[in-house]
Each structure stands twice: as structure tokens, then as C-alpha cells.
Amino acid sequence: MHLRYLTITEDELEQLRAQLDAVLDIYRGKDASGGFIDTVQYTRAQTCPDLAAEADFEDYIENYEQTSSDLVFDYDGFGSVRVRVSLINGSVWIRNAVPEEIIDHVFRAVLRVKG
Amino acid sequence: MSATVTEVVEELASEGYDRFHASHVAQKTHTALDETRRTLAELVETGALTERFEVICSNCGRTTQTFASAAEVPIGAEFECESCDRETFTVGPENVWISFEPTRELLVRVNRERGGSGGKKGLRQVLMTPLLRLCKRLTHATW
């Protein structure tokens, strides 16, 4: 049996973020313009509700291709959940210890996005 | 009016950029990525650009090694990432990102056409890049 990675595109990541009602907490990108920087990581300040909602954020990431992101959302009755999504290999990594119910919640959101 | 892919490539070359991705060119030209890739592939065939195959770490996205041809990329091999405390990953197609480098021929032509304006960096690159590559090869040579 041959296994292959199911990739996630930037658009699908945005859809997943909407499905989970999550905020963009950490952005990781790789330079696409051939400059002296290879990769960058931008983290959300405590005063910022969502990196993706900041008007100036597009300027910061203009020359980068997104490689992975940390999405953070609140799950009712549990609290904050951090999910790291890789656009390199399509991995979805729940970074904190969560009950099975939340794993299913995230998995269902991914299935809705991927169709 | 948006610049064409070729115009953007020549501009990047004249400004001294020694490699770039298709997505960057597509963004600058407001062209679909697939169409940009096709044009860049044509530029590779005409000798204006060369392709480089970068193996990027699955975890942090940094380039771990670059190969001159797709055939050289060791798909299935275990690679180590120095940035990730030497954690290893298995090289798959998703780890291979293609970048494009202006060739010496393109740099010379662009610098000649543009009369050297803004091309000093590019002209230096024309002279230095082969020398730098030779130095790198000598540094990594085992005796």
C-alpha cells in the first residue's frame, strides 16, 4: 500500500482557520525573492487579537511563502487549543494535550476543508 | 500595466538577486502560478535561467541542501536539519522546492542592455559567482 501526504494550500489553511474560528498566532514563511533571509517567524503580540486581521501584516509577508502556521482557538469547556499546520507536508499537529473530542473537532474541520 | 514574467526575471537579475521562486515572480506579474512556471521553464530551456532543487526541512522550512538537477535529489533519504537540533526527516517530493537562478548569459545581456545602471551588483555577480562556487567546491572537497 503506497501512502502519500495530503497537502494543505494557503487557501485551505485560511478555510481551516475559519472552520475552527481560530486566530493566526504564529506565521512561518520562506523567502521567495532570493534575498539574504531564508525563513522568518512572526508571532502575535499580546495586544494583537489576530495576525491575519492586521492590515499591515500583508506587507510583512509579501516576499515569503508560508511554510507553517500556529492557529489558536478556544474550545468550549476546555480552553485554548494550539494547532500547527504545515504547508510543507500537510501535517496538522495539535500542540497541547487535548481530549479525543477536540481531536475529532479538528479532524472534522480538516475533512470539511479538503472535501 | 503588469510586467511580463521575462521582464521581472530580467529586473531581478539586474538587481543582483541570485535566486528566486516562481511564486515571487507570479506575485510581481499578477500572473497565475502555473503560467509563471511554464514561462520560467521556457527561460530555463533558452538558457536564461537554471533550476536549483532545494531540500527543505519538514519542520522549520529551512533549506538543508541544494541540488543542480531533480535526478540528484535523494528521495526517501533521511536528512538532518541543523536548525532543528539535528532532527531528521525523510525527503519526499513535498520537501523539494524549485528555485531559479539567472545564468551568466542573462546577466551579461541584461547588464549590456541596461548600460550598467543598477547592474553593478549583477556584473559583480557575473564575475564572482563562478569563483565563489569554485571556492565552495574546494572547501567541501575531501582529500
Side-chain angles (χ1 to χ4, degrees):
Chain A
M1 180 173 66
H2 177 69
L3 300 178
R4 62 180 182 87
Y5 289 112
L6 204 59
T7 56
I8 292 179
T9 65
E10 285 195 30
D11 285 343
E12 288 170 340
L13 176 61
E14 265 309 292
Q15 291 174 47
L16 180 61
R17 197 170 70 81
Q19 288 284 333
L20 294 172
D21 194 21
V23 300
L24 178 62
D25 187 66
I26 302 177
Y27 168 96
R28 297 178 192 83
K30 186 174 183 65
D31 179 59
S33 67
F36 59 86
I37 289 173
D38 189 5
T39 60
V40 294
Q41 173 174 291
Y42 292 120
T43 55
R44 181 172 60 107
Q46 288 196 331
T47 53
C48 170
D50 184 358
L51 271 181
E54 291 295 324
D56 291 341
F57 189 60
E58 281 296 321
D59 294 336
Y60 279 79
I61 62 175
E62 187 182 1
N63 290 328
Y64 297 97
E65 284 188 60
Q66 196 169 8
T67 54
S68 73
S69 286
D70 278 22
L71 307 179
V72 173
F73 66 94
D74 281 326
Y75 191 83
D76 200 28
F78 178 81
S80 181
V81 179
R82 176 177 296 271
V83 180
R84 183 165 300 171
V85 182
S86 168
L87 279 76
I88 297 172
N89 59 17
S91 64
V92 178
W93 186 8
I94 301 174
R95 300 290 287 138
N96 44 332
V98 297
E100 197 72 26
E101 179 184 328
I102 294 178
I103 297 174
D104 288 342
H105 175 72
V106 173
F107 185 58
R108 282 195 301 271
V110 173
L111 284 180
R112 284 194 296 272
V113 168
K114 296 300 292 183
Chain B
M1 189 157 100
S2 298
T4 64
V5 169
T6 304
E7 285 169 349
V8 167
V9 166
E10 290 178 354
E11 184 184 328
L12 290 171
S14 74
E15 290 175 359
Y17 287 94
D18 57 8
R19 74 175 56 179
F20 43 83
H21 292 175
S23 61
H24 183 65
V25 178
Q27 185 188 46
K28 279 184 158 298
T29 58
H30 304 289
T31 308
L33 188 56
D34 286 343
E35 189 183 330
T36 302
R37 283 181 177 143
R38 276 194 293 273
T39 308
L40 291 172
E42 289 168 11
L43 290 173
V44 170
E45 284 188 18
T46 60
L49 297 173
T50 54
E51 288 174 310
R52 290 287 179 255
F53 297 84
E54 301 179 29
V55 174
I56 65 169
C57 171
S58 296
N59 183 44
C60 69
R62 290 191 76 176
T63 298
T64 57
Q65 200 169 344
T66 302
F67 296 89
S69 71
E72 292 176 21
V73 177
I75 300 291
E78 287 290 309
F79 263 46
E80 204 174 76
C81 179
E82 290 184 6
S83 299
C84 296
D85 296 326
R86 300 196 175 274
E87 279 208 25
T88 61
F89 62 94
T90 305
V91 179
E94 68 281 355
N95 295 100
V96 183
W97 288 33
I98 301 173
S99 57
F100 297 88
E101 291 182 2
T103 60
R104 182 192 177 102
E105 288 74 20
L106 175 64
L107 287 170
V108 169
R109 179 171 63 77
V110 163
N111 277 288
R112 188 171 55 232
E113 286 173 0
R114 294 179 185 223
S117 60
K120 279 185 184 175
K121 196 175 172 184
L123 191 59
R124 185 169 66 234
Q125 183 182 342
V126 168
L127 298 173
M128 288 300 295
T129 296
L131 187 60
L132 283 170
R133 285 201 182 125
L134 176 62
C135 287
K136 278 185 183 175
R137 278 202 292 272
L138 289 173
T139 303
H140 290 115
T142 54
W143 299 96

